[in-house]
Amino acid sequence: MGVRYMVTGAVAVIIYAEPRLTQDIDLVIELKTGDARKLAEAFPPEEFYCPPEESLKVEINRPLRGHFNIIHLETAFKADCYIMGEDPLHHWGMLNRKKLNFEGESIWVASAEYVILRKLEYFREGGSEKHLRDIASILTIYGDRIDFDQLLEKIKKYGLEQQWEKAQKISQE
């Protein structure tokens, strides 16, 4: 469709760290209202569940936390699509995403720093330690390539210091 996107969540953890089980792919997507029809057309209803165009427009126009799912009917594999909207961390993530080659195709993946920041936020919001284990895995395997100056600046900006301390403890175990 020619829209800006980045792969994040568990699939990004797998790329930066180690394989783990996941049941979906998380994407941050930059969409405009006019993209709703193109999106619905890109995923034919005989193969995919895609929300109706009007529902897509509602989510696209949310300034923060716009979200919808697309599900492949045969496999039940799900894409969680998060709208970039006005979220400053999504915007920063798009500016810092990485272009990677996967099986002959170019894909855009969120930076490890972005993935860590979101995982810290998710841990703060829900308390699931799987996010801390994902961060620990990234730190262990990909840590020498992380821009810690930039990461620590964002951790402070978003008030994630306590969560960061817990993630570091797990990575040192």
Side-chain angles (χ1 to χ4, degrees):
M1 289 182 43
V3 297
R4 288 194 322 156
Y5 75 93
M6 62 182 173
V7 174
T8 188
V11 173
V13 171
I14 292 166
I15 290 168
Y16 290 120
E18 58 191 4
R20 76 164 181 81
L21 184 62
T22 186
Q23 299 175 357
D24 62 10
I25 185 168
D26 296 330
L27 302 166
V28 174
I29 306 176
E30 180 180 35
L31 293 174
K32 307 289 184 236
T33 304
D35 293 325
R37 174 167 284 157
K38 290 189 283 186
L39 188 67
E41 290 171 356
F43 295 95
E46 60 275 2
E47 295 179 46
F48 297 92
Y49 164 77
C50 183
E53 186 178 338
E54 289 307 312
S55 296
L56 289 170
K57 286 179 182 178
V58 168
E59 294 303 315
I60 289 169
N61 287 306
R62 285 185 199 279
L64 296 170
R65 296 187 179 256
H67 171 261
F68 61 89
N69 297 7
I70 296 174
I71 303 169
H72 185 248
L73 298 175
E74 185 177 330
T75 64
F77 191 72
K78 178 177 70 165
D80 284 322
C81 301
Y82 300 92
I83 308 301
M84 191 167 79
E86 296 174 14
D87 184 312
L89 192 50
H90 284 333
H91 282 266
W92 178 80
M94 283 288 191
L95 291 173
N96 292 284
R97 65 193 175 146
K98 311 287 183 207
K99 190 174 190 178
L100 302 177
N101 187 355
F102 179 75
E103 296 185 3
E105 297 289 327
S106 292
I107 60 170
W108 289 99
V109 179
S111 70
E113 296 83 0
Y114 174 90
V115 175
I116 290 169
L117 289 163
R118 279 295 180 206
K119 291 281 181 179
L120 290 170
E121 284 188 331
Y122 296 151
F123 175 70
R124 178 173 60 193
E125 291 173 6
S128 173
E129 291 208 0
K130 78 175 180 176
H131 301 300
L132 298 182
R133 289 190 301 274
D134 284 345
I135 293 167
S137 178
I138 293 170
L139 292 173
T140 301
I141 295 169
Y142 196 78
D144 61 335
R145 292 168 275 182
I146 291 173
D147 183 340
F148 282 98
D149 290 338
Q150 192 175 57
L151 178 61
L152 294 172
E153 173 190 320
K154 295 291 184 190
I155 286 170
K156 186 174 182 177
K157 178 178 180 177
Y158 292 102
L160 296 165
E161 295 93 344
Q162 289 179 339
Q163 293 77 20
W164 175 240
E165 284 179 30
K166 289 180 181 182
Q168 286 182 299
K169 284 180 186 172
I170 288 177
S171 72
Q172 294 167 358
E173 291 177 355

